[in-house]
Every structure is written in structure tokens, then in C-alpha cells.
Amino acid sequence: MEAFVTHTGTAAPLRRSNVDTDQIIPAEYLKRITRHGFEDGLFSSWRKDSDFVLNRSEYQGVSILVAGPDFGTGSSREHAVWALQDFGFKVVISSRYADIFRGNSGKGGLLTAVVDQSLVEQIWELIEADPATPVTVDLEAREVRVGDLVAPFEVDDYVRWRLMAGLDDIGITLQYADEISAFEATRPSYKPTTK
Amino acid sequence: MGRTLAEKVWEAHVVRQAEGEPDLLYIDLHLVHEVTSPQAFDGLRSAGRPVRRPDLTLATEDHNTPTIDIDKPIADPISRAQLEALRANCAEFGVPIYSLGNPEQGIVHVVGPQLGLTQPGMTVVCGDSHTSTHGAFGALAFGIGTSEVEHVLATQTLPLKPFKTMAITVEGELPVGVTAKDVTLAIIAKIGTGGGQGYVLEYRGSAIRGLSMEGRMTLCNMSIEAGARAGMVAPDETTFEYLKGRDHAPTGADWDAAVEWWSTLPSDADAVYDAEVFLDAATLSPFVTWGTNPGQGLPLSGNVPSPADAVDEVDRVAIEGALAYMDLTPGMPLRDIKVDTVFVGSCTNGRIEDLRAVADVLKGRKVAPSVRMLVVPGSVRVKKQAEAEGLNVIISEAGAEWREAGCSMCLAMNPDKLKPGERSASTSNRNFEGRQGPGGRTHLVSPAVAAATAVTGHLAAPADLASAS
């Protein structure tokens, strides 16, 4: 996984709450067995509308999505994270995320910054007033900077450390294989098996 | 200080604990289906890693599978490729699988419990958000993403930060005609789709203890729609009674040892929850959704809300958007909403008691000519049992379609879909835009309301039928 320390890019305002993962990528795109190439499915229903923010010329090439509260609710599909990344997003900013989506983002290297809704509103206004405004997301300092605005964000310490180091979870856990075996030896005989 | 059910199950599974790091939790059962697993198996293959415990892993095919003509090749080549990938992956890594056509095939969250694989005090995961269903047994069960699927396949563990706990207490007796589905829709409307974020919900109180295991599964299933990854009900005699004698339930001395441990799991009297919510069972009534998220629900006797009712600007935009998508007018009685499709099934309401409730209403009645009704059992076992009880005859004679087991119209990944502009009453779990097919509109309802709606052609409860006749 690529390490993430700081990122600067342009940002798109998505003025919607409860953006569920069925909207991020509908189920019809989930039949693929590959890990990449999901950008065509991202917000596919909304993108049919030429006025949708990601279709507008001034928001082409954006890498930061600034969304309303409760982003990523619903299905556990990690394809939602892959679709955002394949489209070019490195960061999502919202005041609240669904737990599974947030976990999936951390695994895949997509930063989900938790920013107060009042500051999200200010960021929306700035990037709507000037879509070319550079937005910097600094994971080390835990802040989003847009022009003169400095918005602190929350991120889990452990996830931050992993993202900054670009570490793979499975590799970390496999260092503890002996402890896993020791635990297994204590499991009671009444626990079921699938065989 | 006492401990909660969730804390007891958590603590019994900690492999490793270290300051500043997530706990490493052992996983007792890993359920797998075709949609969220191919990239995980690919990851193992490219890293040269085996599946650590294929004997604690079980795969079934459900999301993509058709519910008619299952003896013929699957028409959609992409769906077929995904099922073939699962079969090949399971063969390569030694994972047991119930494929289409197998008498144990069905929706992953119906299959685990009916086999007796889901037991109290276990940790259960699956690459599917409705894994919360298994919490009905007092298991800690939650959905995971594909990276985590790969992690569990490789290590049988997951690094996790402890959840907070929320007690949802429903005291009293549910009025006649009010089901677990109505209870869960009322809870989600009360706490919101984000209300459970970061929490494990524990459903408590006399109304919950009075629910059957299947009702408890419906309740826990929808926990994710309130934003919670998991929902739980403390194991009791109802739980033990359901499990005893099932294929994978313990027997003999193992059964006694298991029951002894399971009996220690309910939350201690002095346990403290991070949050508490109370509902009075007597105030509940059949509940339906009018909008595009499961929190946008009301009693069936209510009216479509207005943007003017919004609590804030974010809510106002959400109500306006939902009304536009659903093509509804503020103030319109919910009972006046006409549907053209009724879907009974899914991991929420595809079990035998759900089908009995539907047959009870349909018996001697006809589905309205303007309505297409699909009844889809949650598993092959459920289908066979329903047929042994003659439910399929009642359902077919009423004019509904009796189908093969699978996820069907819950999520538009198989041939069962709404067409643009169609409107359904559905016993499934999500009314998101396009969830049942692009442009489709969904009202979430209980099985009994689904059946009454099919008869009248508009949202209705069984009591409405009695008063009309």
C-alpha cells in the first residue's frame, strides 16, 4: 500500500447526506472479480445527470470529495472504496461515516477525514466559489487547509500510523501466528466446525 | 462493575492486546459468498498464503443466483463467472461450499443459523453487512469488507477497536399484528440511520424476550440500517430450544458444557451501557418506509411528511430528495400509496415464519390484478419446509410467484429487479435509490403488510382486509 502523509488537490462538493454505498456503486458493478476498473460505476446513477457535480467541467480532475453527514452507509461492499480510488479520489471529508465504509477505507488507503459539519459547510462554500482552490489534507498535522481556513480532522491513531507507513494489515497480524495458535489450543470442543 | 453481553463475547476472543493497538480478535465462523470474496482469494494466491481454518469457513451462493430455471446455465455471463470463481476458489483452498442446486444452498444468513452453525458467544463475520443477523443468538456478528475477508481467511483473526454498547429496551407486549420488522423500523426511525454508529446494539426487555428466534434474527439483521455493525439478543431457553438437535449443534457432554457457558453470557445486572434507548411495545403499530433510507419510516396510519417538518437544513434536503425520487406528495396518507410489485424474501424476512405469515393473509384471497408478487424462500430448506406445509399452494393459488431460494429482488444483482418507475412493498432491508433496480421505488414492510398490500394494491395491514370484508 502506498504511504499517505499529505495530499494537495482540488475538491468536489457533494451536498448530500446519507450517501449509501448503493449510490457510490450500484450492485450491478459488483459482479466483477477484479480489484480495479470500478471508476465507471462510481455514482453511476447520479452521473447520468449532466449537472451532477462530478460531470461539471470545473470539477474535473478532483481528488478530494467533500460530502454531507453519514457517508458510506449500507452495504459492506469494499468496491465503494475501490470505485472512489479508481476515479482518482485520495480523500473523503465528511462529518460522519458509516463504520464499515470507514474501516474499508483505512484498509485500502483512502483517507476518511472527520471534519465538523460547520467546517464542511465552509469548505463547500470555498470550493464552490473557486473550484480551482487547492485543498491540502495533512495527515501528519491532522488538518485540512483551504485558503485561510484550517480545519482540524479526526482520524484513528492506529489507522493514521498504518496509512503513513503504508503497512499491510495481514503482514502485521502474521507476526503473531504463535499467539493465534496458542489461542486456538484453548478453544472448547463444543465450538462448531463447517466440515 | 458488571459486563455486558457484547463485552463478555469480546473478551472471550482476544488473542492479543497491546497499548495503542487494536485488539486482535479470534473469529469462530467465517461465512463467504460470491460477491465480496474473489479479490480476497486473489490476494491470498498472489501472496502464497493458505486459508488458515477452512473448517471454520463456509461458502454459499446467493446474491447472483436466479430464482427460476436454476437447472439451466445462468444467462448472465458476468454472474456466471463470479459463481464459477467462488467454486474454483473454494476447491483450491479447501473451503466447504453449498452451490446452486445443493439442498443446503440459500442466503448466507439463513443457512448459518438453520444448520446450527451460529451459536451463542461466537464471533461470526462475513463480507456482508447483514451478518448482524447472527447476533440473535447472542453471537458477536458483523459485516466486513473484502480486505478483512482476506485477513480472516489468512489469519482467522481481525484487528478491531472495541465497540461502544447501546441497550435498546422494548418493554411490554407487542399489539396484535405488530412484528419484529415493525419494531426494527420503529427503532431506526427513532435513532436514525447514523444513531448506532460505533455501537453494538443489545436488544432487551420483555417484548424482545417474547420474540421467536426468527423474529430476533429480523431485528438483529436490520441493526446495520441504524448504523450499528452488530445487534445482539442475550441467549435464553428460546435460543437453546432452537439450537438443540441442529446439524452442527453440540451433543452429549459438549451440549451441557456449551449451555453452561452460554448461560453466563447475558449482561450482568450492574452492567453499564454507553447509551440507552427505551421503547414502549404497546405504542408500536405496523410500520412502513416512505423515503430512500430505512430511517425514513412512519406508522402505516401516518401521512407522507413535508420538507417543512425537517429538523434542520440537511434533513430538509434529504426529505425533498426522497419525495422527488419516490414521487410522493406531502400529506398524502401512506395507505393511499399504490404499488405494482410486492417482494417477500431476503435475509431479513425469508424464513419459514415469514412465509407462514404471508400464507395466513393470502389464504382464500387473491393478489390484486395490478400487482406482481414474488415470494422467495431464504434457503432450499425453507422452501422444502414451506412446500411440506402446503404454503406454496396457498401462495400460488392467490396468484403470487413461488420461487427458488436466493437474495432475489433485495438488491438487483440477479434477474429479479424493479423496472424504472416501478414501486414495491418489500420485506427486504434497504429502500435506497435504485436498490431493487435502477429507478425502482421501495417501501419496506413486514411480511404481513406485504401480503395485505398485495391483496389491496396499496399499502395495507391485514386488519384492513378484515374490516373490508
Side-chain angles (χ1 to χ4, degrees), chain B residues 404-461:
Chain B
E404 306 286 344
C407 294
S408 186
M409 204 183 263
C410 177
L411 86 168
M413 277 200 81
N414 54 67
D416 304 339
K417 288 178 197 173
L418 291 182
K419 294 189 195 73
E422 283 188 332
R423 183 185 298 277
S424 78
S426 174
T427 68
S428 54
N429 39 58
R430 288 185 177 139
N431 52 342
F432 299 154
E433 292 180 18
R435 169 77 178 186
Q436 294 190 283
R441 300 175 176 127
T442 304
H443 297 277
L444 300 178
V445 299
S446 73
V449 168
T453 298
V455 170
T456 62
H458 56 81
L459 293 180

Side-chain angles (χ1 to χ4, degrees), chain B residues 176-179 182 284-288 298-301 335 446 449 460-462:
Chain B
V176 174
V178 177
T179 68
D182 303 304
L284 298 175
S285 63
F287 226 81
V288 300
L298 284 168
L300 176 61
S301 55
R335 276 198 169 86
S446 73
V449 168

Side-chain angles (χ1 to χ4, degrees), chain A residues 35-40 79 81-89:
Chain A
R35 170 70 179 73
H36 291 286
F38 289 95
E39 63 277 6
D40 55 343
H79 311 68
V81 173
W82 303 337
L84 286 161
Q85 290 181 313
D86 290 347
F87 190 84
F89 285 111

Side-chain angles (χ1 to χ4, degrees), chain A residues 15-18 20-23 27-35 38 45-46 48 69-71 73-79 82 96-100 103-104 107-108 117 121 124 156-158 168-174 176-177 179-181 183-184 187 189-195, chain B residues 12-16 22 24 26 28-29 35 38-39 49 52-58 64 76 78-79 82 94 96 117 119 121-122 127-129 143-148 150-151 154-155 157 161 193-194 197-198 224 227 229 248 250 254 257-258 261 293 314 318 411 413 430 432-433 435:
Chain A
R15 283 187 178 262
R16 281 178 180 259
S17 58
N18 267 297
D20 59 73
T21 54
D22 276 76
Q23 304 316 315
E28 60 193 281
Y29 293 92
L30 271 49
K31 297 181 182 182
R32 298 175 185 161
I33 56 176
T34 52
R35 170 70 179 73
F38 289 95
S45 171
W46 294 343
K48 287 176 191 147
D70 296 316
F71 189 85
T73 54
S75 155
S76 63
R77 58 189 69 166
E78 198 160 324
H79 311 68
W82 303 337
R96 207 159 58 177
Y97 299 89
D99 293 335
I100 301 180
N104 288 342
K107 307 288 175 195
Q117 181 61 25
E121 306 265 356
W124 277 341
D156 177 75
D157 286 339
Y158 184 75
D168 152 41
D169 254 356
I170 298 178
I172 297 173
T173 299
L174 284 175
Y176 311 124
E179 286 163 87
I180 299 172
S181 298
F183 181 91
E184 278 175 331
R187 294 179 78 236
S189 60
Y190 54 74
K191 294 267 187 177
T193 68
T194 57
K195 296 285 180 181
Chain B
H13 291 84
V14 173
V15 171
R16 181 177 184 279
L24 192 63
Y26 198 80
D28 288 320
L29 177 64
V35 180
Q39 295 86 352
R49 290 168 177 153
R52 182 180 175 93
R53 294 296 300 265
D55 61 327
L56 302 183
T57 312
L58 177 68
N64 273 279
D76 177 354
I78 311 175
S79 285
Q82 198 166 56
L117 276 170
Q119 297 173 13
M122 286 174 61
D128 190 286
S129 60
I144 57 178
T146 298
S147 293
E148 291 172 309
E150 183 181 342
H151 195 284
T155 70
T157 65
K161 284 186 63 172
T193 56
Q197 270 169 32
I224 182 70
R229 276 180 90 164
H248 291 271
D254 270 349
W261 185 58
N293 72 58
V314 168
L411 86 168
M413 277 200 81
R430 288 185 177 139
F432 299 154
E433 292 180 18
R435 169 77 178 186

